[in-house]
Amino acid sequence: MESVLLPKQPHPVVSYLRVGRLLYFSLILFIIESWVYGVQLMEAWNNASVYIVAIWAWCFLFSFIHIYLVIMDGWSRYQNYKRAKDQFFIHGFRPRIADIYIVSKCQRMAAETAAEELGIKEEVKAYYKSCGVKWYHYIPYFMVKEPLFMFKKDFWSRTFLEKNYTPKFDFQNMPQATV
């Protein structure tokens, strides 16, 4: 492979946070929500009927479980980012590669972050726009097409249990442009 001058590469932690920035914002909200529901649950436990306790317990469990789901989703999107970065680096921009990550806002953000770090973000964004993707398309397309998505193994493995991906390249130690 010929020598390529890459844009300055951020630290992997910065990339990890950039890839999942929407997820980590929601993580903060779920932590706050869990705390509020926990306080309400304790108050109800001491002073309210069983029905009120059950309602607050359900609310608390719902938000508390989402903390872990968001963390796992962020991990999976980082694996997508590492894979997309390798694929874009090897092949350059290819619609076929971008299509792999078009399914959800978080996957598109992973691909766009990888593309930005390789200097091809505008091509990826233009392709997604040409496919009809809008900035407000947050709900993954498969959720709209398949309402019973939660009962599919692929949903759980691709959303929360993506296998660890080891990058093929050490981008930190490649020649980088100083801009």
Side-chain angles (χ1 to χ4, degrees):
M1 184 170 253
E2 63 191 57
S3 179
V4 177
L5 193 61
L6 295 174
K8 182 164 176 22
Q9 299 297 296
H11 190 277
V13 172
V14 172
S15 296
Y16 183 84
L17 293 173
R18 287 179 62 224
V19 165
R21 60 191 174 272
L22 289 177
L23 292 167
Y24 304 128
F25 177 71
S26 68
L27 175 65
I28 292 166
L29 294 177
F30 280 122
I31 290 170
I32 293 168
E33 185 179 58
S34 292
W35 178 76
V36 168
Y37 290 152
V39 168
Q40 294 299 319
L41 175 60
M42 294 314 243
E43 184 69 28
W45 186 267
N46 294 325
N47 302 319
S49 71
V50 172
Y51 299 111
I52 300 299
V53 170
I55 289 170
W56 286 118
W58 185 88
C59 291
F60 173 76
L61 287 173
F62 178 83
S63 62
F64 192 74
I65 289 169
H66 274 81
I67 291 171
Y68 295 99
L69 294 177
V70 168
I71 290 169
M72 294 306 298
D73 197 6
W75 167 259
S76 292
R77 298 303 64 86
Y78 187 62
Q79 303 317 306
N80 291 152
Y81 152 83
K82 292 186 294 185
R83 182 175 286 113
K85 192 168 182 179
D86 276 356
Q87 291 170 329
F88 284 139
F89 183 72
I90 293 168
H91 304 288
F93 170 74
R94 297 275 191 276
R96 192 169 166 186
I97 297 169
D99 283 340
I100 296 169
Y101 306 101
I102 200 169
V103 175
S104 74
K105 176 74 171 179
C106 294
Q107 287 180 333
R108 290 189 301 273
M109 286 175 61
E112 288 174 6
T113 301
E116 180 179 3
E117 292 178 9
L118 295 173
I120 59 170
K121 181 179 181 178
E122 293 308 314
E123 291 174 76
V124 173
K125 284 180 74 167
Y127 176 72
Y128 287 150
K129 187 175 181 179
S130 74
C131 291
V133 174
K134 306 285 189 221
W135 68 269
Y136 53 84
H137 287 181
Y138 286 91
I139 297 173
Y141 298 135
F142 67 85
M143 289 182 176
V144 175
K145 291 179 185 173
E146 180 59 54
L148 300 175
F149 65 89
M150 289 187 71
F151 300 106
K152 306 251 182 203
K153 180 183 175 191
D154 286 348
F155 165 71
W156 294 99
S157 63
R158 288 216 42 179
T159 306
F160 304 117
L161 304 169
E162 192 81 38
K163 289 186 173 90
N164 184 44
Y165 180 81
T166 304
K168 293 178 173 65
F169 304 96
D170 182 4
F171 293 100
Q172 296 294 320
N173 292 319
M174 289 185 167
Q176 297 178 17
T178 53
V179 177

